[in-house]
Amino acid sequence: MHRLIVLLGMTLLLAGCQTDLPLAGLKAQYGAPPSRYLPMDGVEVHWRDEGLGSKPLEDSPTLATAGTSTAVPTANTPSPTAPASAATPTAASTANAGMPSGASAFPPPAKPAAVATPDDAPTILLLHGTASSLHTWEGWVKAMSPSWRVVRLDLPGFGLTGPYPSGDYSPAATVDFLERFADAAGLKRFVIAGSSLGGQAAWRYALRRPDRISGLILIDATGYPQNLSTSTAVALQIASMPVISELMRWAPIDGMVSRSLKDVYVDDTLVTPELVSRYADLMRRPGNRVALGDRARNAPPSTGWEQLRQLKVPTLIMWGGQDTWVPLSMGERFKIDIADSELIVYPNLGHLPMEEDPVTTARDALDFLRRRVQSASPGTPVSPASSAGTMRKSPAPTTPTQK
């Protein structure tokens, strides 16, 4: 252990430290409108409300509607100062970062006959995974917003939301947080979708509040006990050590982020400098690297999955066939444990299929929502789930890489 600390210290001296980035600059870079900020639980939750029937920016919930007295209120609009430099991508310039070449736009559908309001528009809540942010869903938002109200947020400890003052990132605390957020955002009954860690939060919330959930989408979700053997899993275990966690506050992370993204993408050509910069910049939001260590250090044993058989909600399970972080066997377990669920496997995609191929995955999600959620009404038969998983074609890597 002593040698590890000395080695990391020497690495910092040789490679140079990377300090946190100013929050105001990050907000200008990645949190300009349509971003919103909800004071809640002692943090300002970064979120977006887009698409059919979304609430106007001026109608964003305030401190009073959030039902908390611990947050420090600040301006809802990010400071216009600290403009993005030419070398750093803006949120708009990274919108297509994870999309295959030539598949950046979705054809605009016909406008609905009546304008939906937030109270009657079909709504989906999108939850990202570890060390990610709401930007991971850009491709899905483009596809879904013409026909759905799409709500997404940065979970505590990630993105622009930043760390919890309490440092409690347990699954139960996350579900409590989502309950308060859903109330504040005016979400009554909605579909919940999550990737990786966000997938675990989604199924746990569906178990807690089945009355509010009309559909569930799990993308390479976590939650089952598994052996962690990837290099990133080892890094998270190291980061959980208190002294190492403190030193990691200053460690250069661009190289680590690039390697991690190449682990979760099959096509390394999609891991662009802009994508790496976005992930790395948001990890350097003040407090996020400390929160990552806190989360790893206090992670409880995997429990609660035993209750999955109680779920009675239309469920779509989407999995990258080449996921080396959370293997396909976990997706197959979800398919067995969740009654009447559907499984789609993408043979040429990895841990983040919705980023690596947002066109195909969003199309499949919308098809599921149309068949299993939107068509569900009293007296209307719902298309049954297939008994076996579906293998979906996905673009082959343009440059084959050895994993």
PDB file of all heavy atoms in Angstrom, residues 4 43 87 106 111 115 118 141 161 166 216 233 235 242 281 285 287 320 325 327 332 345 359 373:
ATOM      1  N   LEU A   4       2.285   1.835  -3.341  1.00  0.00           N
ATOM      2  CA  LEU A   4       1.279   2.342  -4.272  1.00  0.00           C
ATOM      3  C   LEU A   4       1.096   3.843  -4.111  1.00  0.00           C
ATOM      4  O   LEU A   4       0.998   4.587  -5.095  1.00  0.00           O
ATOM      5  CB  LEU A   4      -0.048   1.613  -4.036  1.00  0.00           C
ATOM      6  CG  LEU A   4      -1.212   1.973  -4.969  1.00  0.00           C
ATOM      7  CD1 LEU A   4      -0.861   1.652  -6.408  1.00  0.00           C
ATOM      8  CD2 LEU A   4      -2.472   1.226  -4.557  1.00  0.00           C
ATOM      9  N   VAL A  43     -27.918  20.460  -3.253  1.00  0.00           N
ATOM     10  CA  VAL A  43     -27.198  20.603  -4.514  1.00  0.00           C
ATOM     11  C   VAL A  43     -28.117  21.281  -5.523  1.00  0.00           C
ATOM     12  O   VAL A  43     -29.319  21.428  -5.289  1.00  0.00           O
ATOM     13  CB  VAL A  43     -26.741  19.234  -5.079  1.00  0.00           C
ATOM     14  CG1 VAL A  43     -25.770  18.555  -4.134  1.00  0.00           C
ATOM     15  CG2 VAL A  43     -27.935  18.324  -5.364  1.00  0.00           C
ATOM     16  N   ALA A  87     -10.904  25.146 -28.582  1.00  0.00           N
ATOM     17  CA  ALA A  87     -10.300  23.828 -28.422  1.00  0.00           C
ATOM     18  C   ALA A  87     -11.177  22.886 -27.618  1.00  0.00           C
ATOM     19  O   ALA A  87     -10.939  21.694 -27.579  1.00  0.00           O
ATOM     20  CB  ALA A  87      -8.934  23.947 -27.744  1.00  0.00           C
ATOM     21  N   PHE A 106     -32.414  12.698 -37.415  1.00  0.00           N
ATOM     22  CA  PHE A 106     -33.621  11.889 -37.505  1.00  0.00           C
ATOM     23  C   PHE A 106     -34.634  12.665 -38.336  1.00  0.00           C
ATOM     24  O   PHE A 106     -34.767  13.888 -38.194  1.00  0.00           O
ATOM     25  CB  PHE A 106     -34.219  11.626 -36.125  1.00  0.00           C
ATOM     26  CG  PHE A 106     -33.383  10.726 -35.280  1.00  0.00           C
ATOM     27  CD1 PHE A 106     -32.366  11.235 -34.482  1.00  0.00           C
ATOM     28  CD2 PHE A 106     -33.594   9.352 -35.294  1.00  0.00           C
ATOM     29  CE1 PHE A 106     -31.595  10.400 -33.717  1.00  0.00           C
ATOM     30  CE2 PHE A 106     -32.827   8.518 -34.521  1.00  0.00           C
ATOM     31  CZ  PHE A 106     -31.823   9.034 -33.728  1.00  0.00           C
ATOM     32  N   LYS A 111     -46.391  16.884 -37.219  1.00  0.00           N
ATOM     33  CA  LYS A 111     -46.762  17.498 -35.953  1.00  0.00           C
ATOM     34  C   LYS A 111     -48.100  16.929 -35.482  1.00  0.00           C
ATOM     35  O   LYS A 111     -48.985  16.633 -36.278  1.00  0.00           O
ATOM     36  CB  LYS A 111     -46.885  19.016 -36.118  1.00  0.00           C
ATOM     37  CG  LYS A 111     -45.558  19.699 -36.397  1.00  0.00           C
ATOM     38  CD  LYS A 111     -45.728  21.207 -36.491  1.00  0.00           C
ATOM     39  CE  LYS A 111     -44.394  21.898 -36.727  1.00  0.00           C
ATOM     40  NZ  LYS A 111     -44.550  23.360 -36.838  1.00  0.00           N
ATOM     41  N   VAL A 115     -51.500  20.138 -29.176  1.00  0.00           N
ATOM     42  CA  VAL A 115     -50.271  20.307 -28.421  1.00  0.00           C
ATOM     43  C   VAL A 115     -50.446  19.686 -27.042  1.00  0.00           C
ATOM     44  O   VAL A 115     -51.344  20.065 -26.289  1.00  0.00           O
ATOM     45  CB  VAL A 115     -49.915  21.803 -28.290  1.00  0.00           C
ATOM     46  CG1 VAL A 115     -48.656  21.968 -27.447  1.00  0.00           C
ATOM     47  CG2 VAL A 115     -49.708  22.415 -29.670  1.00  0.00           C
ATOM     48  N   PRO A 118     -47.475  19.075 -20.229  1.00  0.00           N
ATOM     49  CA  PRO A 118     -46.688  18.171 -19.389  1.00  0.00           C
ATOM     50  C   PRO A 118     -47.525  17.168 -18.624  1.00  0.00           C
ATOM     51  O   PRO A 118     -47.038  16.122 -18.226  1.00  0.00           O
ATOM     52  CB  PRO A 118     -45.964  19.142 -18.441  1.00  0.00           C
ATOM     53  CG  PRO A 118     -45.863  20.415 -19.204  1.00  0.00           C
ATOM     54  CD  PRO A 118     -47.143  20.485 -20.000  1.00  0.00           C
ATOM     55  N   VAL A 141     -32.657  11.696 -27.318  1.00  0.00           N
ATOM     56  CA  VAL A 141     -33.511  12.886 -27.201  1.00  0.00           C
ATOM     57  C   VAL A 141     -33.947  13.356 -28.583  1.00  0.00           C
ATOM     58  O   VAL A 141     -35.111  13.716 -28.797  1.00  0.00           O
ATOM     59  CB  VAL A 141     -32.765  14.006 -26.450  1.00  0.00           C
ATOM     60  CG1 VAL A 141     -33.570  15.303 -26.486  1.00  0.00           C
ATOM     61  CG2 VAL A 141     -32.498  13.592 -25.004  1.00  0.00           C
ATOM     62  N   THR A 161     -24.332  18.411 -11.605  1.00  0.00           N
ATOM     63  CA  THR A 161     -25.023  18.372 -10.319  1.00  0.00           C
ATOM     64  C   THR A 161     -24.024  18.371  -9.167  1.00  0.00           C
ATOM     65  O   THR A 161     -24.198  19.070  -8.171  1.00  0.00           O
ATOM     66  CB  THR A 161     -25.932  17.132 -10.222  1.00  0.00           C
ATOM     67  OG1 THR A 161     -26.976  17.261 -11.194  1.00  0.00           O
ATOM     68  CG2 THR A 161     -26.546  16.993  -8.836  1.00  0.00           C
ATOM     69  N   SER A 166     -24.044  15.069   1.997  1.00  0.00           N
ATOM     70  CA  SER A 166     -24.047  13.953   2.949  1.00  0.00           C
ATOM     71  C   SER A 166     -23.076  12.851   2.549  1.00  0.00           C
ATOM     72  O   SER A 166     -22.660  12.044   3.393  1.00  0.00           O
ATOM     73  CB  SER A 166     -25.452  13.353   3.039  1.00  0.00           C
ATOM     74  OG  SER A 166     -25.807  12.731   1.817  1.00  0.00           O
ATOM     75  N   LEU A 216     -40.287   0.231 -18.358  1.00  0.00           N
ATOM     76  CA  LEU A 216     -38.922   0.181 -17.840  1.00  0.00           C
ATOM     77  C   LEU A 216     -37.987  -0.253 -18.963  1.00  0.00           C
ATOM     78  O   LEU A 216     -38.261  -1.232 -19.664  1.00  0.00           O
ATOM     79  CB  LEU A 216     -38.849  -0.812 -16.670  1.00  0.00           C
ATOM     80  CG  LEU A 216     -37.480  -1.136 -16.066  1.00  0.00           C
ATOM     81  CD1 LEU A 216     -36.866   0.108 -15.428  1.00  0.00           C
ATOM     82  CD2 LEU A 216     -37.611  -2.263 -15.041  1.00  0.00           C
ATOM     83  N   ALA A 233     -12.543  -1.413 -13.366  1.00  0.00           N
ATOM     84  CA  ALA A 233     -13.062  -1.904 -12.090  1.00  0.00           C
ATOM     85  C   ALA A 233     -11.963  -1.920 -11.036  1.00  0.00           C
ATOM     86  O   ALA A 233     -12.181  -1.556  -9.877  1.00  0.00           O
ATOM     87  CB  ALA A 233     -13.642  -3.300 -12.266  1.00  0.00           C
ATOM     88  N   ALA A 235      -9.382   0.048 -11.054  1.00  0.00           N
ATOM     89  CA  ALA A 235      -9.122   1.458 -10.733  1.00  0.00           C
ATOM     90  C   ALA A 235     -10.130   1.989  -9.730  1.00  0.00           C
ATOM     91  O   ALA A 235      -9.786   2.753  -8.822  1.00  0.00           O
ATOM     92  CB  ALA A 235      -9.147   2.292 -12.011  1.00  0.00           C
ATOM     93  N   PRO A 242      -8.979   5.473   1.038  1.00  0.00           N
ATOM     94  CA  PRO A 242      -9.059   6.887   1.430  1.00  0.00           C
ATOM     95  C   PRO A 242      -7.899   7.744   0.956  1.00  0.00           C
ATOM     96  O   PRO A 242      -8.106   8.813   0.382  1.00  0.00           O
ATOM     97  CB  PRO A 242      -9.127   6.815   2.959  1.00  0.00           C
ATOM     98  CG  PRO A 242      -9.717   5.483   3.243  1.00  0.00           C
ATOM     99  CD  PRO A 242      -9.212   4.568   2.171  1.00  0.00           C
ATOM    100  N   ASP A 281     -13.828  16.669 -18.667  1.00  0.00           N
ATOM    101  CA  ASP A 281     -14.159  17.981 -18.103  1.00  0.00           C
ATOM    102  C   ASP A 281     -15.189  17.859 -16.987  1.00  0.00           C
ATOM    103  O   ASP A 281     -15.059  18.484 -15.923  1.00  0.00           O
ATOM    104  CB  ASP A 281     -14.697  18.909 -19.191  1.00  0.00           C
ATOM    105  CG  ASP A 281     -13.619  19.394 -20.150  1.00  0.00           C
ATOM    106  OD1 ASP A 281     -12.429  19.123 -19.885  1.00  0.00           O
ATOM    107  OD2 ASP A 281     -13.972  20.024 -21.163  1.00  0.00           O
ATOM    108  N   ARG A 285     -15.405  18.578 -12.543  1.00  0.00           N
ATOM    109  CA  ARG A 285     -16.302  19.473 -11.821  1.00  0.00           C
ATOM    110  C   ARG A 285     -15.932  19.379 -10.341  1.00  0.00           C
ATOM    111  O   ARG A 285     -15.714  18.288  -9.814  1.00  0.00           O
ATOM    112  CB  ARG A 285     -17.753  19.025 -12.041  1.00  0.00           C
ATOM    113  CG  ARG A 285     -18.779  20.032 -11.502  1.00  0.00           C
ATOM    114  CD  ARG A 285     -19.369  19.553 -10.203  1.00  0.00           C
ATOM    115  NE  ARG A 285     -20.543  20.325  -9.840  1.00  0.00           N
ATOM    116  CZ  ARG A 285     -20.737  20.881  -8.648  1.00  0.00           C
ATOM    117  NH1 ARG A 285     -19.832  20.748  -7.674  1.00  0.00           N
ATOM    118  NH2 ARG A 285     -21.829  21.571  -8.399  1.00  0.00           N
ATOM    119  N   GLY A 287     -15.479  18.523  -6.799  1.00  0.00           N
ATOM    120  CA  GLY A 287     -16.092  17.539  -5.926  1.00  0.00           C
ATOM    121  C   GLY A 287     -16.412  16.204  -6.568  1.00  0.00           C
ATOM    122  O   GLY A 287     -16.636  15.219  -5.859  1.00  0.00           O
ATOM    123  N   GLY A 320     -25.324  -4.656 -25.128  1.00  0.00           N
ATOM    124  CA  GLY A 320     -24.234  -4.773 -26.082  1.00  0.00           C
ATOM    125  C   GLY A 320     -23.595  -6.145 -25.980  1.00  0.00           C
ATOM    126  O   GLY A 320     -23.148  -6.545 -24.900  1.00  0.00           O
ATOM    127  N   TRP A 325     -17.727  -4.955 -19.393  1.00  0.00           N
ATOM    128  CA  TRP A 325     -17.916  -4.465 -18.029  1.00  0.00           C
ATOM    129  C   TRP A 325     -19.043  -5.213 -17.322  1.00  0.00           C
ATOM    130  O   TRP A 325     -18.881  -5.669 -16.199  1.00  0.00           O
ATOM    131  CB  TRP A 325     -18.222  -2.965 -18.048  1.00  0.00           C
ATOM    132  CG  TRP A 325     -17.030  -2.095 -18.264  1.00  0.00           C
ATOM    133  CD1 TRP A 325     -15.863  -2.440 -18.894  1.00  0.00           C
ATOM    134  CD2 TRP A 325     -16.883  -0.739 -17.870  1.00  0.00           C
ATOM    135  NE1 TRP A 325     -15.009  -1.379 -18.923  1.00  0.00           N
ATOM    136  CE2 TRP A 325     -15.607  -0.311 -18.298  1.00  0.00           C
ATOM    137  CE3 TRP A 325     -17.701   0.160 -17.212  1.00  0.00           C
ATOM    138  CZ2 TRP A 325     -15.135   0.977 -18.078  1.00  0.00           C
ATOM    139  CZ3 TRP A 325     -17.241   1.455 -16.997  1.00  0.00           C
ATOM    140  CH2 TRP A 325     -15.970   1.860 -17.419  1.00  0.00           C
ATOM    141  N   PRO A 327     -21.342  -8.258 -18.399  1.00  0.00           N
ATOM    142  CA  PRO A 327     -21.504  -9.210 -19.501  1.00  0.00           C
ATOM    143  C   PRO A 327     -22.955  -9.517 -19.827  1.00  0.00           C
ATOM    144  O   PRO A 327     -23.865  -9.291 -19.028  1.00  0.00           O
ATOM    145  CB  PRO A 327     -20.771 -10.456 -18.988  1.00  0.00           C
ATOM    146  CG  PRO A 327     -20.776 -10.330 -17.505  1.00  0.00           C
ATOM    147  CD  PRO A 327     -20.694  -8.861 -17.217  1.00  0.00           C
ATOM    148  N   GLU A 332     -29.243 -11.599 -19.591  1.00  0.00           N
ATOM    149  CA  GLU A 332     -30.061 -12.800 -19.658  1.00  0.00           C
ATOM    150  C   GLU A 332     -30.709 -13.107 -18.309  1.00  0.00           C
ATOM    151  O   GLU A 332     -31.834 -13.631 -18.257  1.00  0.00           O
ATOM    152  CB  GLU A 332     -29.192 -13.969 -20.127  1.00  0.00           C
ATOM    153  CG  GLU A 332     -28.733 -13.804 -21.580  1.00  0.00           C
ATOM    154  CD  GLU A 332     -27.632 -14.765 -21.973  1.00  0.00           C
ATOM    155  OE1 GLU A 332     -26.970 -15.313 -21.052  1.00  0.00           O
ATOM    156  OE2 GLU A 332     -27.422 -14.960 -23.181  1.00  0.00           O
ATOM    157  N   VAL A 345     -30.257  -7.909 -28.133  1.00  0.00           N
ATOM    158  CA  VAL A 345     -28.798  -7.956 -28.055  1.00  0.00           C
ATOM    159  C   VAL A 345     -28.223  -7.339 -29.322  1.00  0.00           C
ATOM    160  O   VAL A 345     -28.658  -7.659 -30.438  1.00  0.00           O
ATOM    161  CB  VAL A 345     -28.298  -9.403 -27.895  1.00  0.00           C
ATOM    162  CG1 VAL A 345     -26.770  -9.439 -27.832  1.00  0.00           C
ATOM    163  CG2 VAL A 345     -28.895 -10.031 -26.645  1.00  0.00           C
ATOM    164  N   VAL A 359     -29.053   5.651 -33.194  1.00  0.00           N
ATOM    165  CA  VAL A 359     -30.121   5.538 -34.187  1.00  0.00           C
ATOM    166  C   VAL A 359     -30.871   4.224 -34.026  1.00  0.00           C
ATOM    167  O   VAL A 359     -32.099   4.195 -33.882  1.00  0.00           O
ATOM    168  CB  VAL A 359     -29.544   5.668 -35.616  1.00  0.00           C
ATOM    169  CG1 VAL A 359     -30.638   5.421 -36.653  1.00  0.00           C
ATOM    170  CG2 VAL A 359     -28.916   7.037 -35.823  1.00  0.00           C
ATOM    171  N   VAL A 373     -46.362   0.150 -24.282  1.00  0.00           N
ATOM    172  CA  VAL A 373     -46.723   1.204 -23.317  1.00  0.00           C
ATOM    173  C   VAL A 373     -47.843   2.082 -23.854  1.00  0.00           C
ATOM    174  O   VAL A 373     -48.903   2.211 -23.237  1.00  0.00           O
ATOM    175  CB  VAL A 373     -45.494   2.062 -22.952  1.00  0.00           C
ATOM    176  CG1 VAL A 373     -45.901   3.198 -22.003  1.00  0.00           C
ATOM    177  CG2 VAL A 373     -44.406   1.201 -22.328  1.00  0.00           C
TER     178      VAL A 373
END
